[in-house]
Amino acid sequence: SLGLTPRFNTDHSNVRFVCSGSRSPLLVSCKTRNHGFGSQHKRQIAKKEPPKEPQLDALLRPASDGDVKPENISGYEITSAPSTFPAGSPALRDSNSLPVDVGGGETNSTIQPEDLIKVIKNAEKNVLLINQARVRALEDLEKVVEEKEALQGEINVLELRLAETDAKIRIATQEKIHVEQLEQQLVELRMELSNRSGSQGGTFGINETYDEISALGHSPSHDANMHAISEELSSLRAENVSLKADIETLKEEFSSIKTTEERVVMLQNKCANLESVVDDLEVKIAAAEGDVAKLSSLKLEYRSLCEKVEDLQSLLDKATKQANEAACVLQQNQELQKKVEMLEEYLQEANVLKLSSEHMQSYHDIMQQKMRLLEDRLQRSDEEIHSYIQLYQESMKGFQDSLSSLKEESRRRAVDEPVDDMPWEFWSSLLLLIDGWALEEKISSDDAKVLKDMVLKRNRRLCEAYLECKGKEEVEALAILLKLTSNSTSSRLHIIHIAAEMAPVAKVGGLGDVVTGLGKALQRKGHLVEIVIPKYDCMQYDSIHNLRALNVVLKSYFDRLLYENKIWVGTVEGLPVYFIEPLHPSKFFWRGQYYGEHDDFKRFSFFSRAALELLHQAGKKPDIIHCHDWQTAFAPLYWDIYSHKGLNSARICFTCHNFEYQGVAPASELASCGLDVDHQNRKDRMQDNAGHNRINPVKGAVVFSNIVTTVSPTYAKEVLTPEGGRGLHTTLSSQSRKFTGILNGIDTDTWNPATDAFLERQYNSSDIEGKLENKLFLRKHLHLSTADATRPLVGCITRLVPQKGVHLIRHAIYRTLELGGQFVLLGSSPVHHIQREFEGIANHFQSHDHARLILKYDESLSHLIYAASDMFIIPSIFEPCGLTQMIAMRYGSIPIARKTGGLNDSVFNLDDKAIPEKLHNGYTFFTADEQGVNSALDRAIHHYKNNRQSWVRLVQKVMEIDFSWNSSASRYEELYQTSLARARAAKHA
């Protein structure tokens, strides 16, 4: 609503500033109120009562002495200190207070520092309140001016409307007068007509005149004019009534406007008064600021005086303390005086002893010289003894070598020396037996001649072999004796490995390590070893030396056609390797990955046929063809096709590295490589035990191979059970005579911490300090915390597949962190949901100080993790062999493994009393659950933290264990020789 009702106290004489501590302050209130200004309902202005006079003595006080928030203040109490303090003020009664001259007053009063602080605070509050009141007054003044301008605009509008209304009234009055004149004329005409009607003679004329007038009055134009005039007259009358009401309203508004003008004048006067009040306030504020400045200086002086008093008090305390100390010192001096007197007596006695002490000093110097001479002699003697020990060790080593050579020579002589304790009947019967076999053509004449010579020499090995044949069938006896002939003639074998992997050029898992490691071990034993693998586009070509393509085209059969193959040759780790590149439209091995394609069965059946075709066309006559896993398990190709083409000299050895992967496919796909589907799709051949129309390459290899092996003795037992055999346990049981398990080894040239180029520092079992340096380097490389060098580091390098116990690996990460360790994982998963799960875990630990997950395979980083880790976790659900635990121990990392497969054959629990202590090398658990992992991991970390010396000895012990391929290669060599001997015996039989 329109209305401005400001309330200002204009009594300037009431403005005083009083300390809040005073009991009787005289207050002034600058009180304002917000008002609303509007122009929409103008007619309501006249209806409002005239504003009342403001209450000049309105007082507003803050609620308390606390802080006042400006935004919540509607009224202000402005107080300040008077120019002089009353003598009887309660705030100034303390007689011990300091004298202060305030504002130049005449009376000197004594006040307390607390009262001064209160005065200063109240002065600051008053200054703040005055400034706020001034701001609010200026705001109200601006609003008054704005309202005045708005009222002036409304007055102008009303004046315009009033002028328009006056004009309309004048026009309406003129029209009304005109109408009244017309009506008067009409009345006069009617009267005139009525007067004329009195004379008859004039009746006709009058009637005519009346008729004319009537006709004129009733003509359409006249009626329309009259109707319009009537309507206009009615509207003018209505508008006249409205205008009268507007005029009354305007009169009221005029009176209201006059009142408003008076109020505006009054407000202007009040604004002027307010400005004068503000000026006075500013003057007094300036005076108050001067008082405050003086009070501030007094406050500083007071503080300085307080500090001086404190300093004086501290000095007094020090002086008192020093006086006490002086008294104590005086007492001590008296005691010292007594002691000095006693010392003087002792000094006289010491002078007597001085001469004797000088003699003792010279004696002491002589003894020191003698001791130095003795130390020099002792050092020289130690050096001489050390040199003698070295000479002794060298001589002992030479003696041991000589002794070993003598023992070997003695053993050879013992073997070669004739057996004198066997009767001649024994040798005669053996000679007759050999001649009988020769006549019956069960053995060749050459073999018979060798055996006869051995009989004549009464060879011990022949004697032992013949005794071993007692009670055995003739075929087995022939195999045993013919093995002697092969050893005596030539022990060199021609072995060809056909595989899908080979480390380091094409490696996915342990298969590639086995092919390379076993091949090199057999090569070192003097055998001719060759490797045949596919030429993948994603191979590590930089690991192949002298790679070149042969100028020959090899054609092989597939899908009723002959397809060309390009043959490449090169050396890998010193082994000769043939790489087959099929020129097939499907580009079988140009897929960017080794496995996982929809047509893997076609890819590797094509490769197996092309590999055998290569051996055939190259004219090779190998003794052993060693195939690995289902990708090259097509032994029927050899027997059904290539043995009839002349490639019939070899025995087939098949090694299954993991029976979970069997390459099962529809039986119809077997026809692509040239095998008879009906002939092979039988229960006793390649037909899968779980389906009639599916063939199983692994089953076919088990049935058709001469030697069947797997990668550890424990796994060989596990696969004979329904759980471990994955459907092939019945087939393996029926072929158990040729089935065995041989624990894999590792390539000790590749995995050697003493020569490993990937390490920050090389080390060995006698100097394991390098392991600590590699640990520190890995932590920095992966941005792990290096604050605690003794914090245990647990490593894990694996493919993240269910077989490896991924849920236990995940649990081991968190358990290791709970136990105060660090965890590093290297590996990836071909299973998408497992890969995504571990990517989430890796992101969670991306910035963690003690855990890092690297979800890829990195050869150089794997070497560093093996060297840096204190422990290695291998929680496999099943593990055919496992090379991780062997490599870890080679680098001094203690394995924590589940007792299954090859882990059970290579890791022996430190807490198992049933196992000889010399075999203890790690920590194991049996149950594949979190409790099992906790048990082994807790024991390992507890050992690491609480018995460091024992842990160091354990690290040195596991680094010296021989996990090389030597013993494993000897087992394979024995299997090869036995199988070849049986083949020769069967051939002659």
Side-chain angles (χ1 to χ4, degrees):
S1 62
L2 282 172
L4 181 63
T5 58
R7 292 184 173 91
F8 298 102
N9 193 328
T10 58
D11 189 358
H12 298 180
S13 62
N14 290 334
V15 179
R16 283 204 305 164
F17 299 87
V18 184
C19 273
S20 61
S22 177
R23 296 285 183 152
S24 58
L26 183 59
L27 306 173
V28 63
S29 174
C30 296
K31 183 176 180 182
T32 63
R33 185 176 66 186
N34 293 330
H35 305 282
F37 299 92
S39 60
Q40 296 179 359
H41 307 286
K42 302 177 180 63
R43 294 182 182 179
Q44 297 178 3
I45 300 174
K47 297 179 183 179
K48 288 195 174 184
E49 297 179 0
K52 297 181 181 180
E53 284 299 319
Q55 299 296 326
L56 300 179
D57 58 346
L59 301 176
L60 293 173
R61 298 172 180 268
S64 66
D65 291 338
D67 295 337
V68 180
K69 296 183 179 179
E71 61 268 24
N72 296 330
I73 297 174
S74 60
Y76 310 101
E77 178 183 288
I78 306 171
T79 62
S80 180
S83 60
T84 60
F85 291 95
S89 176
L92 307 175
R93 292 177 181 175
D94 193 348
S95 60
N96 295 326
S97 58
L98 299 172
V100 181
D101 183 10
V102 181
E106 297 176 358
T107 304
N108 289 333
S109 301
T110 59
I111 60 173
Q112 285 287 0
E114 292 80 0
D115 293 331
L116 283 174
I117 293 171
K118 288 182 180 179
V119 168
I120 292 168
K121 288 183 178 179
N122 289 327
E124 291 174 351
K125 289 179 184 177
N126 290 333
V127 171
L128 176 63
L129 293 175
I130 290 168
N131 290 333
Q132 291 171 346
R134 183 179 182 185
V135 170
R136 295 296 294 270
L138 292 174
E139 290 177 354
D140 285 341
L141 183 61
E142 290 176 357
K143 290 180 180 179
V144 168
V145 173
E146 291 175 357
E147 186 175 4
K148 180 179 177 181
E149 293 175 354
L151 287 173
Q152 187 64 43
E154 291 178 1
I155 291 169
N156 295 334
V157 172
L158 290 174
E159 289 177 351
L160 291 174
R161 288 188 61 190
L162 184 60
E164 291 175 357
T165 304
D166 291 338
K168 289 180 179 179
I169 290 172
R170 284 195 299 271
I171 294 169
T173 303
Q174 292 175 0
E175 290 180 352
K176 183 178 180 182
I177 294 170
H178 180 64
V179 170
E180 289 176 354
Q181 289 176 355
L182 291 175
E183 289 179 350
Q184 184 66 33
Q185 290 177 3
L186 182 61
V187 170
E188 291 177 356
L189 287 173
R190 286 179 179 174
M191 291 176 63
E192 185 178 354
L193 289 173
S194 64
N195 292 330
R196 290 181 182 179
S197 64
S199 59
Q200 187 176 4
T203 302
F204 178 78
I206 293 169
N207 289 334
E208 285 182 352
T209 304
Y210 181 78
D211 291 337
E212 289 176 1
I213 293 170
S214 298
L216 179 64
H218 291 88
S219 65
S221 61
H222 183 267
D223 290 340
N225 291 333
M226 290 300 294
H227 181 70
I229 290 170
S230 298
E231 288 181 353
E232 186 175 1
L233 185 60
S234 299
S235 64
L236 288 172
R237 286 175 180 171
E239 188 172 0
N240 192 21
V241 173
S242 176
L243 288 171
K244 287 180 180 179
D246 289 341
I247 288 169
E248 293 297 327
T249 303
L250 287 172
K251 288 179 180 179
E252 294 176 358
E253 289 179 354
F254 285 147
S255 62
S256 176
I257 289 169
K258 291 178 181 179
T259 305
T260 303
E261 289 178 351
E262 294 174 357
R263 288 170 57 201
V264 168
V265 172
M266 181 182 68
L267 288 173
Q268 289 176 347
N269 294 331
K270 289 182 179 180
C271 286
N273 294 333
L274 182 62
E275 288 177 355
S276 63
V277 170
V278 169
D279 293 338
D280 293 339
L281 288 175
E282 288 178 348
V283 172
K284 294 189 177 181
I285 286 170
E289 288 176 351
D291 293 341
V292 169
K294 292 180 180 180
L295 289 174
S296 299
S297 62
L298 289 173
K299 186 177 179 181
L300 293 174
E301 290 178 4
Y302 171 73
R303 287 180 181 174
S304 64
L305 288 173
C306 290
E307 291 175 356
K308 291 178 180 179
V309 169
E310 290 176 356
D311 293 339
L312 290 172
Q313 185 65 38
S314 62
L315 290 172
L316 180 60
D317 294 340
K318 290 180 181 178
T320 305
K321 186 177 180 180
Q322 289 175 357
N324 294 332
E325 291 176 353
C328 294
V329 169
L330 182 59
Q331 185 178 358
Q332 292 174 0
N333 286 338
Q334 293 175 355
E335 294 176 357
L336 288 173
Q337 186 64 33
K338 295 178 181 179
K339 292 180 180 179
V340 167
E341 293 175 355
M342 294 175 64
L343 287 173
E344 287 178 351
E345 296 176 358
Y346 293 148
L347 184 59
Q348 293 176 359
E349 297 177 359
N351 290 329
V352 177
L353 297 173
K354 184 177 180 181
L355 297 174
S356 61
S357 64
E358 291 176 355
H359 294 296
M360 291 295 294
Q361 181 65 33
S362 61
Y363 177 74
H364 176 72
D365 294 339
I366 295 170
M367 292 300 296
Q368 288 288 338
Q369 293 176 358
K370 290 182 178 181
M371 287 181 66
R372 283 195 293 270
L373 291 173
L374 288 173
E375 288 176 355
D376 294 339
R377 291 179 182 177
L378 183 61
Q379 184 177 359
R380 287 195 298 270
S381 63
D382 287 341
E383 293 174 356
E384 292 176 357
I385 291 171
H386 183 67
S387 62
Y388 291 150
I389 290 173
Q390 287 182 338
L391 291 173
Y392 172 75
Q393 288 176 345
E394 292 174 0
S395 62
M396 283 298 296
K397 184 178 180 182
F399 174 74
Q400 289 290 344
D401 294 339
S402 302
L403 183 61
S404 299
S405 61
L406 288 173
K407 286 181 178 179
E408 182 66 22
E409 183 67 22
S410 176
R411 188 185 64 80
R412 285 199 300 269
R413 288 179 180 178
V415 171
D416 296 335
E417 285 180 358
V419 179
D420 296 328
D421 55 352
M422 297 299 292
W424 277 106
E425 288 81 0
F426 172 82
W427 298 109
S428 298
S429 60
L430 179 56
L431 186 61
L432 292 173
L433 179 64
I434 294 169
D435 285 338
W437 285 344
L439 292 173
E440 294 169 355
E441 296 184 352
K442 293 181 179 179
I443 61 175
S444 65
S445 58
D446 293 336
D447 290 337
K449 183 177 183 301
V450 172
L451 290 174
K452 287 179 183 180
D453 290 339
M454 295 176 73
V455 169
L456 293 175
K457 295 178 180 178
R458 291 177 291 173
N459 186 273
R460 185 175 297 277
R461 287 187 297 144
L462 178 61
C463 175
E464 293 173 353
Y466 182 63
L467 293 174
E468 184 183 351
C469 294
K470 293 293 184 180
K472 294 187 177 182
E473 295 180 0
E474 187 180 51
V475 175
E476 294 182 6
L478 279 170
I480 293 172
L481 295 178
L482 287 175
K483 186 177 178 181
L484 297 177
T485 64
S486 65
N487 289 338
S488 62
T489 56
S490 174
S491 61
R492 179 177 177 180
L493 299 178
H494 184 187
I495 305 163
I496 297 178
H497 289 270
I498 302 177
E501 297 181 34
M502 181 185 184
V505 293
K507 176 184 174 180
V508 175
L511 168 60
D513 293 311
V514 171
V515 171
T516 303
L518 177 59
K520 290 169 65 176
L522 291 171
Q523 187 183 58
R524 282 194 293 266
K525 288 181 175 291
H527 303 294
L528 174 59
V529 181
E530 295 177 309
I531 315 292
V532 182
I533 64 171
K535 186 177 184 294
Y536 301 98
D537 60 340
C538 52
M539 289 193 308
Q540 302 294 324
Y541 285 94
D542 54 351
S543 299
I544 307 172
H545 299 282
N546 302 320
L547 178 65
R548 62 187 179 89
L550 298 180
N551 188 20
V552 63
V553 176
L554 175 71
K555 292 184 178 182
S556 62
Y557 174 89
F558 199 76
D559 284 338
R560 300 182 179 181
L561 296 173
L562 291 176
Y563 289 96
E564 294 183 351
N565 298 271
K566 193 172 184 179
I567 308 301
W568 298 73
V569 294
T571 58
V572 177
E573 301 284 331
L575 293 169
V577 184
Y578 294 85
F579 302 93
I580 297 179
E581 179 185 357
L583 303 180
H584 192 278
S586 298
K587 297 186 179 298
F588 285 140
F589 300 108
W590 290 82
R591 306 286 182 86
Q593 60 181 2
Y594 301 109
Y595 308 131
E597 297 293 322
H598 68 282
D599 57 348
D600 274 356
F601 187 90
K602 283 184 174 292
R603 295 170 67 214
F604 290 103
S605 60
F606 182 100
F607 166 70
S608 297
R609 174 93 191 226
L612 291 175
E613 187 69 30
L614 171 64
L615 303 186
H616 171 61
Q617 292 193 20
K620 294 182 179 296
K621 297 293 182 180
D623 298 300
I624 299 293
I625 297 177
H626 197 149
C627 304
H628 299 266
D629 278 348
W630 77 264
Q631 290 87 356
T632 58
F634 295 91
L637 282 171
Y638 177 79
W639 299 114
D640 288 6
I641 298 175
Y642 285 95
S643 64
H644 303 296
K645 292 184 177 183
L647 185 62
N648 54 6
S649 62
R651 307 299 285 170
I652 304 297
C653 177
F654 172 69
T655 298
C656 184
H657 299 258
N658 192 335
F659 280 92
E660 186 175 12
Y661 306 102
Q662 299 178 12
V664 178
S668 58
E669 292 196 12
L670 195 62
S672 297
C673 63
L675 289 174
D676 187 339
V677 175
D678 295 332
H679 183 66
Q680 295 296 336
N681 188 24
R682 289 161 45 180
K683 288 185 178 180
D684 61 338
R685 299 197 176 202
M686 293 186 70
Q687 186 182 90
D688 187 48
N689 293 338
H692 297 298
N693 293 321
R694 300 181 71 79
I695 51 96
N696 188 327
V698 173
K699 179 183 177 181
V702 171
V703 172
F704 285 95
S705 297
N706 305 110
I707 306 167
V708 180
T709 68
T710 191
V711 291
S712 71
T714 299
Y715 188 59
K717 296 175 183 177
E718 291 175 350
V719 296
L720 296 178
T721 65
E723 296 79 11
R726 298 295 193 271
L728 289 181
H729 57 285
T730 56
T731 304
L732 291 168
S733 298
S734 66
Q735 304 290 332
S736 60
R737 182 171 170 270
K738 61 182 179 182
F739 178 55
T740 187
I742 301 175
L743 186 66
N744 285 339
I746 60 174
D747 187 346
T748 53
D749 295 333
T750 301
W751 301 105
N752 185 0
T755 60
D756 196 333
F758 293 118
L759 303 187
E760 178 67 10
R761 176 184 164 184
Q762 290 77 28
Y763 62 99
N764 53 43
S765 60
S766 60
D767 178 20
I768 62 172
E769 290 298 322
K771 188 170 180 64
L772 298 176
E773 292 189 19
N774 286 292
K775 183 177 180 180
L776 178 61
F777 179 79
L778 178 68
R779 284 172 163 175
K780 291 180 179 179
H781 178 70
L782 299 180
H783 305 291
L784 295 172
S785 173
T786 59
D788 184 4
T790 62
R791 184 183 292 270
L793 177 63
V794 179
C796 183
I797 300 177
T798 183
R799 288 184 304 119
L800 296 172
V801 293
Q803 169 202 337
K804 301 296 183 179
V806 289
H807 65 293
L808 300 180
I809 294 173
R810 180 178 61 247
H811 174 73
I813 296 172
Y814 293 96
R815 184 61 178 173
T816 301
L817 299 180
E818 290 175 5
L819 295 173
Q822 292 181 320
F823 198 99
V824 176
L825 169 68
L826 176 65
S828 61
S829 177
V831 184
H832 296 301
H833 75 272
I834 295 178
Q835 181 73 11
R836 288 197 300 272
E837 177 186 2
F838 275 83
E839 285 174 354
I841 299 173
N843 292 333
H844 175 71
F845 288 113
Q846 186 174 9
S847 301
H848 200 277
D849 288 338
H850 304 302
R852 197 72 72 240
L853 281 69
I854 303 95
L855 301 181
K856 63 178 182 179
Y857 184 76
D858 188 322
E859 181 71 20
S860 61
L861 184 58
S862 69
H863 286 247
L864 186 58
I865 293 174
Y866 280 120
S869 298
D870 298 298
M871 307 156 205
F872 238 79
I873 185 83
I874 313 111
S876 302
I877 304 302
F878 70 94
E879 189 63 68
C881 176
L883 303 179
T884 300
Q885 74 278 12
M886 302 180 193
I887 299 172
M889 285 188 274
R890 175 80 167 160
Y891 282 75
S893 183
I894 306 305
I896 302 171
R898 182 172 173 267
K899 290 176 67 65
T900 181
L903 298 173
N904 187 54
D905 295 324
S906 55
V907 182
F908 304 102
N909 196 358
L910 270 79
D911 301 326
D912 192 346
K913 304 301 181 183
I915 300 174
E917 186 177 353
K918 64 180 181 180
L919 297 178
H920 291 172
N921 58 1
Y923 290 90
T924 63
F925 60 97
F926 183 74
T927 57
D929 54 22
E930 294 179 356
Q931 289 74 21
V933 173
N934 290 349
S935 171
L937 194 58
D938 291 2
R939 285 182 284 130
I941 292 181
H942 181 269
H943 184 184
Y944 175 88
K945 288 184 174 181
N946 296 285
N947 198 340
R948 295 289 297 167
Q949 292 182 350
S950 173
W951 184 269
V952 170
R953 290 194 298 270
L954 178 62
V955 169
Q956 293 173 330
K957 175 182 177 181
V958 299
M959 290 183 70
E960 293 173 355
I961 299 175
D962 183 13
F963 286 112
S964 69
W965 272 102
N966 291 334
S967 59
S968 301
S970 297
R971 289 278 288 117
Y972 276 105
E973 186 181 33
E974 183 180 353
L975 288 177
Y976 296 159
Q977 296 284 9
T978 301
S979 180
L980 289 169
R982 285 177 179 172
R984 287 197 297 271
K987 181 179 179 181
H988 291 298

